[in-house]
Amino acid sequence: DSGVTQTPKHLITATGQRVTLRCSPRSGDLSVYWYQQSLDQGLQFLIQYYNGEERAKGNILERFSAQQFPDLHSELNLSSLELGDSALYFCASTSTGGNYGYTFGSGTRLTVV
Amino acid sequence: DQQVKQNSPSLSVQEGRISILNCDYTNSMFDYFLWYKKYPAEGPTFLISISSIKDKNEDGRFTVFLNKSAKHLSLHIVPSQPGDSAVYFCAASAGSSNFGNEKLTFGTGTRLTIIP
């Protein structure tokens, strides 16, 4: 158990639908990052939150949004889903100011049918 | 634009031999590099890192080498063990002084298979 919890582990939904992925960071970590891993692709950075505020944005589609709540958990909302959104979505967290890297959750596998 | 490239999708190595995984990058602003290891159905886990002020970092069986002029790094695993079979991701960051708040750029991964 890495300490980063992602739910659900698997999600199957239809095109056009909306889903919410949830991430609870490791205790004490203020930064949360969301990454997408499509088939045969690397981990693509989507968005970062730090202590409730958006800190950095990557190649995140306008149909996707995220937020980090006062208790530091984060949610990634994916709407108007398309087949190409099928992927593994990872959340990672870090503490502030210097670290050996992220701690990743085990991911949510999203399948859009 | 793939700023971090792992050109070998897969690699097979005999148990006990050396495994060498390679990674190239294009962004000169990258100054901190990491390797992650990923087993199926799990998230990536941190393995080893290196700052751009160094050219080598060792941790047990794992050594990372950095060649800044060539924008190339490699991960050496010796001796290779069956438990090392996994996907290995190279990652890079710009702004290591503020590392806790910097995004990582990942390569596409190399699947390492250790043959018993």
Side-chain angles (χ1 to χ4, degrees):
Chain A
D1 180 9
S2 68
V4 177
T5 304
Q6 287 188 250
T7 56
K9 289 194 183 306
H10 301 277
L11 200 48
I12 301 175
T13 189
T15 55
Q17 295 298 304
R18 181 180 189 274
V19 297
T20 297
L21 312 184
R22 182 188 169 104
C23 169
S24 293
R26 198 177 52 170
S27 178
D29 286 356
L30 300 180
S31 282
V32 169
Y33 302 77
W34 286 97
Y35 280 80
Q36 179 193 54
Q37 184 185 17
S38 302
L39 192 64
D40 294 333
Q41 296 291 313
L43 292 150
Q44 300 295 320
F45 172 69
L46 295 177
I47 198 163
Q48 178 206 353
Y49 278 83
Y50 174 74
N51 202 21
E53 294 186 3
E54 182 184 302
R55 181 62 67 95
K57 224 170 184 176
N59 297 324
I60 187 166
L61 300 172
E62 285 191 13
R63 300 184 285 109
F64 295 2
S65 65
Q67 54 185 327
Q68 186 179 27
F69 294 87
D71 66 352
L72 300 178
H73 92 271
S74 178
E75 293 181 355
L76 179 67
N77 301 296
L78 315 177
S79 62
S80 303
L81 284 167
E82 302 175 358
L83 295 177
D85 297 328
S86 296
L88 267 169
Y89 291 85
F90 287 102
C91 165
S93 71
T94 64
S95 58
T96 58
N99 201 308
Y100 289 109
Y102 301 163
T103 300
F104 279 89
S106 56
T108 293
R109 180 173 292 282
L110 173 66
T111 303
V112 182
V113 297
Chain B
D1 176 29
Q2 193 71 28
Q3 297 185 59
V4 178
K5 300 177 185 178
Q6 294 177 256
N7 293 318
S8 299
S10 63
L11 176 68
S12 294
V13 175
Q14 206 76 32
E15 181 180 358
R17 299 287 184 101
I18 184 171
S19 296
I20 300 176
L21 295 92
N22 294 303
C23 177
D24 298 293
Y25 62 96
T26 58
N27 188 341
S28 300
M29 298 301 292
F30 288 148
D31 59 1
Y32 197 79
F33 304 89
L34 308 92
W35 285 93
Y36 281 80
K37 177 178 178 180
K38 184 182 180 306
Y39 292 119
E42 295 181 12
T45 55
F46 170 76
L47 191 57
I48 192 170
S49 63
I50 187 167
S51 165
S52 60
I53 62 173
K54 295 185 175 181
D55 54 18
K56 177 182 174 182
N57 188 29
E58 283 182 84
D59 184 2
R61 296 184 299 112
F62 303 92
T63 303
V64 56
F65 294 92
L66 175 63
N67 182 333
K68 282 199 304 181
S69 61
K71 294 191 176 65
H72 177 83
L73 63 155
S74 61
L75 174 68
H76 293 210
I77 306 173
V78 56
S80 299
Q81 299 174 355
D84 296 329
S85 294
V87 176
Y88 289 78
F89 290 98
C90 170
S93 171
S96 58
S97 61
N98 192 29
F99 179 67
N101 302 303
E102 274 293 335
K103 73 178 183 73
L104 292 179
T105 301
F106 285 83
T108 51
T110 296
R111 182 178 302 276
L112 175 65
T113 303
I114 304 301
I115 305 164

